[in-house]
Amino acid sequence: GLWISLLWVPVRLPGKQVTVHLRTPPQLTWEEQRKLLTVSSFLALGHLLSTVAPAYGTVAFTNVVKTAEPLFTCLFSAVLLGQTFSLPVYLTLIPVIAGVCLATANEVSFSMISLVSGLLSNVCFAMRAITAKRVMQKPVGSNLTAQNLYGVLTLQALAVLLPFALIVEGPGLIEGTAETIRNVGGVKFVKMLLCTGVSHYLYNECAFLALSSVHPVTHAVANTVKRIAVIVVSVLYFRDPLTMTGGLGSAIAIVGVLLYSIAKSKY
């Protein structure tokens, strides 16, 4: 969350009496920031639950569950926006649901906490997408580009989560951090922390920028391809166990999402 703040800080050029920004900061009133609080709350909960899910299950299993996100987006779009789709689009959701059920029922790394957390994160991210689209259609403030919008939402999400994080993990935060540093070393710990934080933020900013710049179908297809890569790499790198039935369920769910994206573009 603090990464974007550094880009907004004015920097004085050497030998000159002028300051520049690496990125022009947005200008928002308190009332306009309050309007964004709903979006940032869904963002905060979505990321929180997405972090819990792989902590109790494998990365591959979590990403299979996450392929069901279009189902929730479709549901909330109909309920909240009044946007409905043709029957072929809804039929393509059947293999998505069937594939996720098959993978979760037979996966040797199954975790109920991971499953529930992943499904709830789908709900939060679907709501975030819908509420964020409303903001993009009627921008508030000035200089609120897609990148700056995600930056503001991230800082608000940090403000929402920080008090709860300190209450829940505060007592053991210092001791846990010290133990981790003893195990991996101070330099490696800082490198891992920076690499994880910056790469995670840049990935999400790029995804947010893509959502605002391309058709949602293109974004959904790209997101599906990303999940294929994550599942394959996680299985190979972490050597996570994946049964044949789990792999078949994963493949069915992913194909279902692709069919869903194609059907939305044609009907």
Side-chain angles (χ1 to χ4, degrees):
L2 300 178
W3 164 259
I4 185 63
S5 300
L6 297 178
L7 300 181
W8 289 336
V9 173
V11 178
R12 184 179 296 276
L13 297 177
K16 297 184 179 180
Q17 298 299 319
V18 295
T19 59
V20 296
H21 297 86
L22 296 178
R23 179 179 293 178
T24 304
Q27 303 294 328
L28 295 167
T29 64
W30 287 109
E31 179 62 23
E32 290 169 337
Q33 292 187 46
R34 187 186 64 80
K35 293 180 180 179
L36 300 178
L37 193 57
T38 300
V39 188
S40 59
S41 297
F42 285 122
L43 175 66
L45 290 174
H47 281 306
L48 173 63
L49 293 166
S50 292
T51 303
V52 172
Y56 288 88
T58 64
V59 176
F61 175 79
T62 301
N63 275 273
V64 171
V65 176
K66 292 287 290 179
T67 60
E69 185 176 332
L71 172 63
F72 295 94
T73 304
C74 191
L75 174 63
F76 292 138
S77 294
V79 174
L80 301 178
L81 301 180
Q83 181 182 9
T84 57
F85 305 101
S86 62
L87 180 60
V89 175
Y90 288 115
L91 290 177
T92 60
L93 296 176
I94 295 177
V96 177
I97 301 172
V100 171
C101 291
L102 182 63
T104 56
N106 295 277
E107 175 59 50
V108 297
S109 300
F110 173 81
S111 167
M112 181 57 69
I113 296 178
S114 179
L115 174 62
V116 173
S117 298
L119 290 176
L120 289 177
S121 72
N122 286 340
V123 173
C124 292
F125 281 130
M127 291 299 298
R128 181 212 61 176
I130 293 174
T131 53
K133 273 295 185 181
R134 286 178 174 176
V135 174
M136 292 177 185
Q137 292 171 355
K138 296 180 180 180
V140 297
S142 60
N143 298 326
L144 196 64
T145 60
Q147 301 96 313
N148 281 342
L149 174 59
Y150 184 74
V152 172
L153 295 177
T154 301
L155 291 174
Q156 287 187 338
L158 173 64
V160 170
L161 289 178
L162 187 59
F164 298 100
L166 293 177
I167 293 173
V168 175
E169 299 185 353
L173 183 61
I174 297 178
E175 181 181 351
T177 302
E179 183 179 354
T180 303
I181 293 176
R182 286 194 298 269
N183 293 334
V184 302
V187 175
K188 186 176 181 180
F189 173 76
V190 173
K191 287 182 179 179
M192 293 172 63
L193 195 63
L194 288 175
C195 181
T196 302
V198 173
S199 61
H200 183 71
Y201 180 86
L202 290 177
Y203 151 69
N204 280 284
E205 183 180 278
C206 290
F208 209 78
L209 180 62
L211 180 62
S212 67
S213 303
V214 301
H215 195 280
V217 173
T218 305
H219 186 268
V221 172
N223 203 40
T224 303
V225 174
K226 179 208 72 176
R227 298 207 182 282
I228 297 174
V230 171
I231 292 174
V232 172
V233 171
S234 68
V235 170
L236 296 177
Y237 184 82
F238 295 109
R239 300 184 183 277
D240 291 331
L242 185 66
T243 64
M244 181 176 296
T245 308
L248 178 62
S250 302
I252 293 174
I254 292 170
V255 170
V257 174
L258 285 173
L259 292 175
Y260 166 81
S261 301
I262 294 173
K264 281 191 65 178
S265 67
K266 290 186 177 182
Y267 300 98

